[in-house]
Amino acid sequence: MSWEVWVVFGTLGGAVLLFVTEWLRVDVVALLVLITLALTGIVSHDEALSGFSNEAVVTMAAVLVLSGGLQRTGVANTLGRRVLQVAGRGEARLTAVLMLTVGLLSGIMNDIAVTALMLPVVVAMARRLKLSPSKLLMPLAFGSLLGGMTTLIGTAPNILVSGALRDTGNEPFTMFDFTPIGLCALAAGTVYMVFIGRRLLPDRDVGREDAAADDSIHEPYDLGQRLFTVHIPEDSALANATLAESRLHPALGFSVLAIKRGDDPHLAPGPDSVLRGGDRLVVEGRRERFDEVRGWGTLEVLPGVPSLGRLESDEIGFVEIVLGEGEFEGTTLFDYGFRDVTGLRVLAIAHGRRRDARLTRLDTLRLASGDRLLAMGPRENFGVLRAFDGLTGVNLLDARTAASTYELTRRLMRVRVPAGSGLAGNSLAASNLRDACALTVVGLERGEQHIVLPEPSTVLQEGDVLEIEGRDEELQYLHALQALEIDTEPAPGVDALETTDVGIGEIILAPRSELAGRTVREVHFRQSYGVTVIAVWRGGRAYRSNLRDFELALGDAILVYGPREKFRLLAQEEDFIVVTGAAAEPYRVEKGPIAGLIMASVLAAVAFGLVPIFLAALCGAAAMVVLRCLKPQEVYEHIEWKAIVLVAGMLTLGLAMEKSGAAAMIADNVLQLIAPLGPRAVLAGIFLVSALAAQVMPTAAVAVLMSRIVLSDVAALGVHPQSAAMCVALASSCAFMSPVGHPVNLLVMGMGGYRFTDYTRVGFGLFLVVFAVVMLVLPIFWPLTPV
């Protein structure tokens, strides 16, 4: 083999590994592939970028815009709702109508958009009929995948495989070439799900079956187990403090759902709500955490402040960091992970020339150009700062200068860990004093020993004296939290916390959401969206504790509490799909007929061969904007840029495989092994390899790579190029057996309470059904061997 083939195989293997492990985003992987092939000279610079101008990529982007137009004008939603309304109450009939409706819509719309659009409708219908959503949501996802097989624009693999035919000198597919086989697959798949598949579906969401539609949202989350009432004593230090200042959530993990003051309860209080002595707070949280903090005992404040000279040494010092315009601007210390990256602890932040601007809650402060940060840490780490972009100054300070300049002396104190304290035996990290109570331990006295900036792993002992940087008020708030009283009377039911203005809603992350992989705290959920996250449903169970640091994932169902008007705002966010029926996004219904006419015109123009598909789709996308079915900024929101970059990079890899001879080598050494068994066996092999790859790799990547391999030596394989390409396209959409195979599977995973094995158990049979349909029906419409 030539060195070019080795490079291509190495790049292909690395890409597959990264796709399967998800160590990097798929679009980043595609860019790395493109860069590698361009730098090694396997493809020219123009060829490396050719994927972005490929007709298939342009068609994909334009079809996504067309789909967005049908979505924003309510065409798809109206059709889906009206059809499902006449489906009756029987589970079997409802499954059949749902899959056929979604399948037909997916033939002309993006399958992810159809699933996201119909998900709230299906969940509401399931609750109204007292069915578990798990009985309908997997059929919804599978119906959209099957429907994508029915037309050329139904799904990306169809468009990409047709483009591969054109690029290799073969006749590309037309709009309805997929329809005969696709409709047979949709019909057969629906029959399978009605008679077999639905019986294999889990029925874990029992809580939703026992209540009416509007009251059942919270049932499976078992919120009642974590609801109780705490009383603030009249003389508490929490009196006149805001909820944010009280640190009820950071320290105790309590989400305050209501403040009861006299006969007028205040539901869904905001962070600026002021507490009063005598208030009773309805909270959601763990009593065990409250008992743990109470078990710390009263930290005894000792006279005097820590000696400033003892806070620095040859190894530990102070540094002033001056920010300019660069990577820190607009972010927070927490979002940036400043402490993890630099190993330094920020003690104060000053805006411009003001030195006393901010000394508390530093992790949540938005940084700006001109800010000055006082940090403390190992001197050897100071040099790391000079590598950051946008710092205009890094100034070393001695302890006395730092203390006087930033007035640290009024924030330094010494406290003793009392005998019998629950802190003893726990590490500093486990105590969570900094995050929970805004108290930073800068030194530790233990007998004759003195430790400056003790490690997070340092285990505390009874009698330890902690040198703390923080406000007296924070310590008083901690003592006040320990003095809260838990009411013995049962807390009010969840229903009592809802009114016409305030309620509980359910949302999920949208497929294109950038919030996946970030924690609730990193998202600043309360500040950004005005609602409180009180539970998350994932993998068939509810999570209700430590949600601040809970990492969100696609498919999570998120239970939120707050003003209902905020739900309507959430519905307009591209990062979320609001499942609760009270917050439907307004549609431009007056533009519905226009959007429908535009889509029909595009389909007709392509079907009759008047213009190429990419041009027809572009004209339709432009018409959606010109005729105001879509706003200009919405065009960019509906295009899946991650998918566009992925496909462009994979097209470059496919070109490299063809130029280097790697594609022909795979065809000669793998597919040629089954060529003697006849064209049916070859097509079966192509289908099985493509479909199995689609369970763990992006379907678009599978379509691009397999089409290049198959079409590189199709004559030697003894099969007709269109038949082989059709096999690749249909198999690439058979991502039924894994939740990671396609975004629609992840989209319904949380709301359905599905586990990985549920997809394998139900999807394997559907995979066999589609495989049998393709093998039986394809030869009827397409020749097996070259003519």
Side-chain angles (χ1 to χ4, degrees):
M1 291 191 298
S2 64
W3 70 269
E4 290 93 342
V5 174
W6 281 109
V7 171
V8 171
F9 278 149
T11 305
L12 174 62
V16 171
L17 176 65
L18 292 173
F19 284 145
V20 172
T21 59
E22 297 182 333
W23 288 339
L24 294 175
R25 286 176 26 153
V26 293
D27 51 340
V28 176
V29 175
L31 284 176
L32 291 176
V33 166
L34 186 154
I35 292 169
T36 300
L37 296 174
L39 290 177
T40 55
I42 304 296
V43 296
S44 68
H45 295 170
D46 289 340
E47 289 172 334
L49 298 175
S50 62
F52 291 99
S53 60
N54 188 280
E55 288 186 13
V57 175
V58 175
T59 303
M60 281 179 55
V63 168
L64 289 170
V65 176
L66 288 169
S67 176
L70 296 177
Q71 180 180 345
R72 294 282 184 174
T73 55
V75 173
N77 183 272
T78 301
L79 289 174
R81 283 180 181 272
R82 289 183 177 177
V83 172
L84 289 180
Q85 283 172 356
V86 300
R89 303 179 66 87
E91 182 184 330
R93 182 178 176 182
L94 183 58
T95 300
V97 173
L98 170 64
M99 291 189 66
L100 292 174
T101 301
V102 171
L104 294 176
L105 286 174
S106 292
I108 58 173
M109 286 181 65
N110 175 260
D111 42 19
I112 301 175
V114 171
T115 305
L117 192 68
M118 295 302 296
L119 193 149
V121 179
V122 172
V123 170
M125 178 166 290
R127 290 175 179 162
R128 187 167 63 251
L129 299 179
K130 296 185 178 180
L131 286 173
S132 169
S134 65
K135 290 294 186 181
L136 297 177
L137 291 181
M138 195 176 291
L140 167 66
F142 288 170
S144 70
L145 290 174
L146 291 168
M149 302 178 183
T150 58
T151 67
L152 176 59
I153 65 172
T155 189
N158 297 359
I159 298 172
L160 295 168
V161 169
S162 179
L165 281 171
R166 183 190 61 251
D167 294 342
T168 53
N170 296 290
E171 186 69 23
F173 293 124
T174 60
M175 176 62 73
F176 298 109
D177 280 346
F178 289 88
T179 304
I181 305 174
L183 286 179
C184 290
L186 175 60
T190 301
V191 171
Y192 163 79
M193 289 300 297
V194 169
F195 290 100
I196 300 176
R198 71 181 179 88
R199 303 181 190 278
L200 301 176
L201 289 167
D203 191 10
R204 303 189 184 99
D205 206 354
V206 181
R208 288 191 173 103
E209 299 177 16
D210 301 327
D214 293 335
D215 299 330
S216 60
I217 294 175
H218 58 80
E219 290 292 337
Y221 294 89
D222 290 329
L223 291 181
Q225 294 183 359
R226 298 290 176 86
L227 280 183
F228 53 96
T229 304
V230 296
H231 173 242
I232 300 177
E234 292 288 350
D235 58 350
S236 173
L238 295 178
N240 299 319
T242 66
L243 266 182
E245 291 171 340
S246 73
R247 306 197 71 79
L248 277 158
H249 189 65
L252 303 180
F254 287 173
S255 294
V256 179
L257 306 185
I259 300 175
K260 299 172 68 175
R261 184 179 298 156
D263 297 327
D264 185 21
H266 176 27
L267 301 181
D272 295 328
S273 297
V274 178
L275 301 175
R276 296 283 186 265
D279 282 349
R280 279 178 162 75
L281 312 180
V282 180
V283 301
E284 189 262 344
R286 293 172 58 244
R287 296 194 187 200
E288 295 85 352
R289 174 59 182 170
F290 176 63
D291 293 337
E292 179 185 334
V293 173
R294 179 179 281 180
W296 290 357
T298 302
L299 297 178
E300 178 188 358
V301 180
L302 301 178
V305 297
S307 171
L308 295 176
R310 298 180 68 187
L311 292 181
E312 64 178 339
S313 64
D314 292 339
E315 292 78 26
I316 303 296
F318 295 86
V319 63
E320 183 184 59
I321 307 164
V322 185
L323 304 185
E325 296 180 358
E327 56 188 300
F328 289 102
E329 194 169 15
T331 188
T332 67
L333 293 174
F334 179 82
D335 292 340
Y336 193 85
F338 184 86
R339 183 170 176 179
D340 293 333
V341 173
T342 65
L344 305 176
R345 305 184 192 185
V346 175
L347 304 179
I349 298 177
H351 285 290
R353 296 183 178 180
R354 293 182 58 194
R355 301 287 177 162
D356 58 347
R358 188 70 176 263
L359 297 170
T360 61
R361 297 180 179 84
L362 304 180
D363 284 347
T364 61
L365 180 66
R366 292 284 172 187
L367 302 175
S369 176
D371 285 354
R372 296 172 181 270
L373 283 59
L374 176 66
M376 179 183 183
R379 295 182 187 274
E380 62 183 9
N381 292 6
F382 294 171
V384 176
L385 297 171
R386 304 189 186 280
F388 288 107
D389 175 44
L391 299 185
T392 59
V394 176
N395 309 315
L396 301 182
L397 302 179
D398 59 55
R400 294 189 180 279
T401 303
S404 61
T405 303
Y406 288 89
E407 300 183 343
L408 288 184
T409 50
R410 62 186 179 92
R411 290 180 45 83
L412 292 174
M413 67 185 86
R414 298 167 68 239
V415 299
R416 177 181 286 120
V417 178
S421 171
L423 288 173
N426 286 320
S427 67
L428 275 175
S431 72
N432 202 27
L433 281 169
R434 177 180 173 83
D435 289 338
C437 308
L439 301 173
T440 302
V441 178
V442 295
L444 186 149
E445 303 172 22
R446 181 177 294 163
E448 298 299 323
Q449 184 183 13
H450 181 261
I451 305 172
V452 181
L453 279 186
E455 294 292 330
S457 59
T458 301
V459 177
L460 299 176
Q461 299 177 9
E462 294 180 6
D464 280 349
V465 175
L466 307 180
E467 298 174 340
I468 288 178
E469 188 270 337
R471 294 189 309 164
D472 290 337
E473 291 90 338
E474 303 293 353
L475 196 57
Q476 292 174 21
Y477 289 155
L478 171 60
H479 294 158
L481 292 175
Q482 295 172 315
L484 291 174
E485 303 167 357
I486 296 181
D487 278 6
T488 56
E489 297 180 4
V494 177
D495 296 340
L497 300 176
E498 296 191 88
T499 66
T500 55
D501 298 321
V502 176
I504 295 174
E506 211 168 14
I507 62 176
I508 60 176
L509 293 188
R512 304 185 189 97
S513 176
E514 296 296 326
L515 304 183
R518 300 175 65 185
T519 65
V520 173
R521 179 163 36 161
E522 290 172 334
V523 173
H524 303 291
F525 222 100
R526 176 73 191 185
Q527 299 92 320
S528 301
Y529 306 110
V531 294
T532 300
V533 176
I534 55 177
V536 177
W537 187 275
R538 176 187 294 173
R541 61 159 292 191
Y543 294 85
R544 300 175 295 265
S545 304
N546 302 320
L547 293 181
R548 283 181 86 218
D549 297 312
F550 191 91
E551 190 174 285
L552 300 175
L554 292 178
D556 285 347
I558 306 169
L559 201 68
V560 296
Y561 179 68
R564 295 188 187 276
E565 63 181 12
K566 299 297 183 181
F567 299 163
R568 287 184 280 273
L569 296 177
L570 278 172
Q572 299 173 23
E573 292 283 342
E574 292 297 318
D575 286 313
F576 304 106
I577 297 171
V578 178
V579 181
T580 181
E585 181 181 2
Y587 296 109
R588 304 182 187 106
V589 291
E590 72 281 1
K591 298 292 183 180
I594 298 175
L597 181 61
I598 292 173
M599 192 72 207
S601 301
V602 171
L603 295 175
V606 177
F608 290 107
L610 301 179
V611 290
I613 183 172
F614 84 93
L615 188 56
L618 278 177
C619 291
M624 287 286 188
V625 178
V626 171
L627 298 178
R628 299 184 179 180
C629 298
L630 279 175
K631 296 178 181 178
Q633 65 269 24
E634 292 173 344
V635 171
Y636 300 98
E637 295 173 0
H638 283 284
I639 296 176
E640 294 180 50
W641 294 107
K642 187 187 298 185
I644 297 297
V645 174
L646 167 66
V647 171
M650 290 301 98
L651 286 172
T652 301
L653 179 56
L655 178 60
M657 292 176 66
E658 185 178 341
K659 286 185 61 178
S660 66
M665 185 175 296
I666 294 175
D668 291 341
N669 291 280
V670 179
L671 295 178
Q672 282 289 358
L673 295 176
I674 56 176
L677 301 178
R680 285 183 183 273
V682 172
L683 292 177
I686 292 172
F687 188 98
L688 291 174
V689 171
S690 301
L692 291 175
Q695 308 308 315
V696 293
M697 287 177 57
T699 56
V702 173
V704 170
L705 299 177
M706 284 301 298
S707 60
R708 290 288 181 176
I709 292 171
V710 169
L711 295 176
S712 66
D713 202 12
V714 70
L717 294 175
V719 294
H720 196 277
Q722 273 78 14
S723 297
M726 183 70 70
C727 260
V728 171
L730 297 176
S732 298
S733 294
C734 289
F736 307 125
M737 295 185 289
S738 162
V740 300
H742 198 282
V744 297
N745 292 340
L746 285 174
L747 192 57
V748 302
M749 190 174 185
M751 287 302 305
Y754 300 125
R755 301 188 179 104
F756 193 107
T757 53
D758 295 328
Y759 289 90
T760 306
R761 183 175 60 253
V762 181
F764 180 69
L766 181 58
F767 165 75
L768 293 179
V769 168
V770 175
F771 174 61
V773 167
V774 173
M775 291 298 102
L776 291 173
V777 178
L778 188 144
I780 299 175
F781 297 96
W782 296 95
L784 291 179
T785 57
V787 179

